[in-house]
């Protein structure tokens, strides 16, 4: 299983990245710029406005939240990545056992598919605009949109899946080239939207009447709605929690030569997220002012703002992020069935993503889904954190599954699933904002893992037999 | 040659975004702004691959 079929470079999937393969800080900036300027930014930005977030809260809250995210990447992920030099999957296998990692791969792969599905929907919303095929959200959570739009999602999903199955290289190159241009177009969209709303001065922008009028309109039409400063901060901080708290980006930063590389996500957070989300929110505000339409259709929003350039941006933004997401999902599935081909598993992942994309409500509920994603996958990062920093300090065995030759580390299984189950109960039964559950479940998972290891595993000093390695 | 191409790409990038600023100040029409932005987009994607390497 290789992550870079099509690029020609080795991936060191089951070994430490050697010194000659390490990269300087500059290597990571372009990747993070492209990865976080995605089609879903066109969806998330308007959702903030539709949820009732005030402009001041958005401007300040996103600043703080994205700063916290960057700090988490820099000080939580990068040190462990540089110390271990393993992929997330191999690091987890050494701690949790190969059997448990297969289950993690299944969960990870399915969640990636749903995320990719939202991106396919966003791309389809843009492709459909010139043909008059519009994206609309049905009442039912699992309801389809218009038949023509559903067909369009299938078509776009098939194309994206075939390209993902063909390999990572070409998409990676297009994403690198497109990244600076996408950021420029997002900025352009925001500026045009301001002009459409008659905001021609800094004082008019600061006053923010265009935004508060839009929120008032949304509330009049859809009922009371509010998105607090704290929710904005937490969402911005934790929307990529699978990557930082969940340690998925160990796979990226294991190649870092310098710790300063850990600051690279800042370009994605402040240009990709911060600027793009506010710009996309402005697009919806303009649509509400001009057309009294509150539907967050990314393609239509971009078309009304920058015409064909906006359409192309939505398509490319959705495609260049859906592709690697489907690719990673395919790898995760291949981890479950090692004898299967990457192409088959990638097409399977693409199929699941396309089916998910056929339900427009998934995109409409992206704010909640992203928090859910982090809540489910984040706790594994706590286990990695505790294993790296505290196992030896408490006289316990680091990378227990690897040392003891076990396929399942029960302590990991319980420490991961128990906080997740409790969090899911609070989210679905008590309507807890999903992103609120990420940090508490992470902390609970780490504490549980430490306690369970004390209870279930023998001490490091008691180990008499030679070290047993899990077969690679 | 590579430097020249980089300057062309930069101009194209500015061409993708500056029309929106001109539109904000009502110097040009929306249609004209969209046309300039689209031209900048086409030039960016035609020229940039010749000098931007793969970094992923």
């Amino acid at each position: 299983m290789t992550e870079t079929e099509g690029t020609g470079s080795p991936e060191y999937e089951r070994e430490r990245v050697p010194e000659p393969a390490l990269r300087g800080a500059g290597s990571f900036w372009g990747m993070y710029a492209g990865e976080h300027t995605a089609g879903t930014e066109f969806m998330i930005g308007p959702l903030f406005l539709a949820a009732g977030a005030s402009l001041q809260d958005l401007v300040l809250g996103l600043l703080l939240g994205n700063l916290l995210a960057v700090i988490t990447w820099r000080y939580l992920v990068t040190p462990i990545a540089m110390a271990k030099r393993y992929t997330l999957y191999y690091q987890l296998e050494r701690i949790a056992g190969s059997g448990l990692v297969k289950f993690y791969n299944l969960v990870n792969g399915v969640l990636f598919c749903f995320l990719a599905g939202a991106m396919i929907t966003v791309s389809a919303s843009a492709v459909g605009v010139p043909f008059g095929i519009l994206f609309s959200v049905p009442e039912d959570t699992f309801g389809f949109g218009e038949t023509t739009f559903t067909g369009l999602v299938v078509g776009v999903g098939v194309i994206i899946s075939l390209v993902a199955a063909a390999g990572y290289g070409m998409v990676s190159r297009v994403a690198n080239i497109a990244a600076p241009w996408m950021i420029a177009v997002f900025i352009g969209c925001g500026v045009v939207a301001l002009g459409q709303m008659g905001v021609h001065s800094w004082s008019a922008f600061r006053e923010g009447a265009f935004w508060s009028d839009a929120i008032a309109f949304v509330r009049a039409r859809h009922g009371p709605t509010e998105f607090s400063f704290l929710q904005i901060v937490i969402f911005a901080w934790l929307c990529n929690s699978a990557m930082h708290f969940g340690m998925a980006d160990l796979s990226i930063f294991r190649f870092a030569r310098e710790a300063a590389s850990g600051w690279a996500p800042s370009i994605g957070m402040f240009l990709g997220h911060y600027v793009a989300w506010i710009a996309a929110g402005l697009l919806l505000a303009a649509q509400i002012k001009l057309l009294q339409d509150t539907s967050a259709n990314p393609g239509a929003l971009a078309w009304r703002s920058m015409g064909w350039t906006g359409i192309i941006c939505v398509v490319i933004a959705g495609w260049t992020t859906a592709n690697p997401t489907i690719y990673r999902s395919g790898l995760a599935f291949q981890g479950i069935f090692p004898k299967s081909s990457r192409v088959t598993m990638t097409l399977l992942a693409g199929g699941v993503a396309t089916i998910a994309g056929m339900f427009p409500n998934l995109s409409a509920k992206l704010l909640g889904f992203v928090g859910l994603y982090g809540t489910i996958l984040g706790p594994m990062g706590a286990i990695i954190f505790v294993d790296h920093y505290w196992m030896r300090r408490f006289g316990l065995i680091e990378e227990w599954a690897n040392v003891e030759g076990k396929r399942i580390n029960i302590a990991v299984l319980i420490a991961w699933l128990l906080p997740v189950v409790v969090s899911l109960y609070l989210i679905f039964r008590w309507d807890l904002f999903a992103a609120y559950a990420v940090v508490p479940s992470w902390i609970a998972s780490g504490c549980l893992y430490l306690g369970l290891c004390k209870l279930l595993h023998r001490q490091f000093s008691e180990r008499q037999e030679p070290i047993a390695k899990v077969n690679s | 040659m590579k430097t020249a191409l980089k300057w062309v790409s930069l101009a194209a990038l500015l061409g993708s975004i500056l029309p929106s600023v001109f539109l904000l100040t009502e110097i040009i029409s929306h249609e004209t702004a969209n046309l300039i932005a689209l031209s900048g987009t086409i030039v960016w994607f035609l020229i940039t691959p010749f000098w931007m390497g793969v970094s992923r």
Side-chain angles (χ1 to χ4, degrees):
Chain A
M1 174 172 66
T2 62
E3 283 197 13
T4 57
E5 282 182 43
T7 66
S9 58
E11 266 300 301
Y12 312 104
E13 289 155 0
R14 301 186 66 80
E15 59 184 291
R16 285 173 58 87
V17 175
E19 170 69 23
L22 299 182
R23 301 172 196 162
S27 297
F28 299 91
W29 289 82
M31 191 217 87
Y32 275 101
E35 184 139 338
H36 295 282
T37 314
T40 38
E41 306 343 329
F42 276 106
M43 197 75 215
I44 291 172
L47 288 178
F48 281 126
L49 172 59
S54 75
L55 184 61
Q56 183 176 333
D57 282 353
L58 203 62
V59 169
L60 295 175
L62 290 182
L63 196 62
L64 179 58
N66 283 308
L67 181 62
L68 289 170
V70 173
I71 289 171
T72 308
W73 257 298
R74 169 61 185 87
Y75 290 107
L76 200 72
V77 183
T78 309
I80 297 176
M82 292 180 67
K84 296 287 191 173
R85 302 281 181 203
Y86 292 137
T87 65
L88 165 71
Y89 299 117
Y90 187 55
Q91 180 64 73
L92 269 181
E93 184 179 310
R94 293 171 70 89
I95 299 169
S98 58
L100 190 49
V101 165
K102 286 190 184 206
F103 178 54
Y104 175 86
N105 277 344
L106 176 65
V107 174
N108 198 8
V110 170
L111 289 173
F112 269 140
C113 285
F114 278 91
L115 195 60
M119 295 173 194
I120 290 172
T121 304
V122 168
S123 287
S125 78
V127 172
V129 168
F131 303 103
I133 301 173
L134 297 181
F135 160 76
S136 60
V137 181
E139 289 290 326
D140 293 334
T141 302
F142 291 106
F144 293 117
E146 297 289 331
T147 308
T148 46
F149 184 76
T150 303
L152 188 58
V153 168
V154 172
V156 170
V158 166
I159 292 171
I160 289 178
S161 302
L162 288 173
V163 174
Y168 198 65
M170 193 258 287
V171 175
S172 169
R173 181 152 170 75
V174 171
N176 282 344
I177 292 167
W181 168 82
M182 283 194 290
I183 292 167
V185 172
F186 266 106
I187 294 171
C189 282
V191 173
V192 169
L194 287 173
Q196 290 175 325
M197 292 185 287
V199 180
H200 296 289
S201 66
W202 177 244
S203 57
F205 180 81
R206 281 192 62 186
E207 189 196 337
F210 60 94
W211 190 274
S212 47
D213 288 348
I215 290 179
F217 185 88
V218 168
R219 286 177 178 156
R221 178 164 288 192
H222 300 292
T225 178
E226 196 167 341
F227 207 76
S228 67
F229 176 80
L230 181 63
Q231 282 176 293
I232 293 170
V233 172
I234 296 295
F235 180 85
W237 181 17
L238 301 174
C239 68
N240 284 119
S241 51
M243 311 301 174
H244 47 72
F245 273 114
M247 299 283 179
D249 278 358
L250 286 181
S251 302
I252 306 296
F253 287 118
R254 64 196 172 109
F255 287 99
R257 187 181 300 280
E258 309 133 15
S261 302
W263 294 113
S266 59
I267 193 170
M269 294 303 101
F270 291 109
L271 289 184
H273 282 186
Y274 187 67
V275 169
W277 287 349
I278 292 175
L282 290 173
L283 288 178
L284 182 61
Q287 179 180 277
I288 289 173
K289 184 176 175 76
L290 296 174
L291 301 174
Q292 292 77 55
D293 180 359
T294 59
S295 58
N297 178 339
L301 290 172
W303 171 257
R304 230 169 262 122
S305 169
M306 288 188 76
W308 283 105
T309 303
I311 292 289
I312 294 168
C313 185
V314 175
V315 172
I316 289 181
W319 174 52
T320 55
T321 316
N323 258 124
T325 306
I326 289 172
Y327 186 90
R328 285 182 194 137
S329 184
L331 287 178
F333 290 156
Q334 195 188 20
I336 302 167
F337 306 106
K339 292 184 180 157
S340 61
S341 80
R342 184 191 60 76
V343 170
T344 304
M345 289 297 109
T346 305
L347 289 173
L348 173 65
V352 175
T354 302
I355 292 170
M358 289 161 64
F359 301 102
N361 254 305
L362 175 63
S363 301
K365 293 182 191 307
L366 209 49
L367 292 185
F369 174 75
V370 164
L372 201 65
Y373 181 72
T375 299
I376 294 172
L377 296 181
M380 275 299 200
I383 289 164
I384 293 174
F385 178 87
V386 166
D387 193 81
H388 178 66
Y389 286 112
W390 289 349
M391 285 290 106
R392 288 187 186 269
R393 198 173 291 186
F394 284 85
L396 297 166
I397 300 172
E398 192 178 343
E399 296 182 349
W400 181 85
N402 183 52
V403 169
E404 298 287 358
K406 300 292 186 185
R407 293 190 68 245
I408 295 179
N409 183 338
I410 296 293
V412 171
L413 183 66
I414 298 171
W416 174 33
L417 291 184
L418 193 54
V420 168
V421 166
V422 171
S423 297
L424 292 179
Y425 174 76
L426 293 172
I427 291 166
F428 290 108
R429 178 72 176 86
W430 295 103
D431 277 336
L432 176 72
F433 180 54
Y436 282 163
V438 176
V439 174
S441 59
W442 195 91
I443 294 171
S445 192
C447 294
L448 264 175
Y449 181 61
L450 188 61
L452 287 168
C453 283
K454 275 275 217 198
L455 208 60
L456 299 174
H457 296 169
R458 57 186 176 157
Q459 297 287 309
F460 182 83
S461 56
E462 295 168 14
R463 187 176 48 79
Q464 298 295 325
E465 301 85 3
I467 291 174
K469 300 282 187 200
V470 173
N471 287 333
S472 295
Chain B
M1 180 66 177
K2 201 170 177 180
T3 306
L5 289 176
K6 285 183 181 178
W7 280 110
V8 172
S9 285
L10 180 60
L13 196 64
L14 290 173
S16 297
I17 184 175
L18 279 180
S20 59
V21 178
F22 295 142
L23 184 62
L24 183 67
T25 50
E26 297 174 314
I27 293 174
I28 55 177
S29 70
H30 201 167
E31 290 76 19
T32 305
N34 284 350
L35 195 58
I36 297 172
L38 182 60
S39 303
T41 296
I42 292 170
V43 172
W44 172 267
F45 281 101
L46 283 178
I47 300 295
T48 307
F50 288 102
W51 61 264
M52 187 182 276
V54 176
S55 61
R56 278 202 181 192

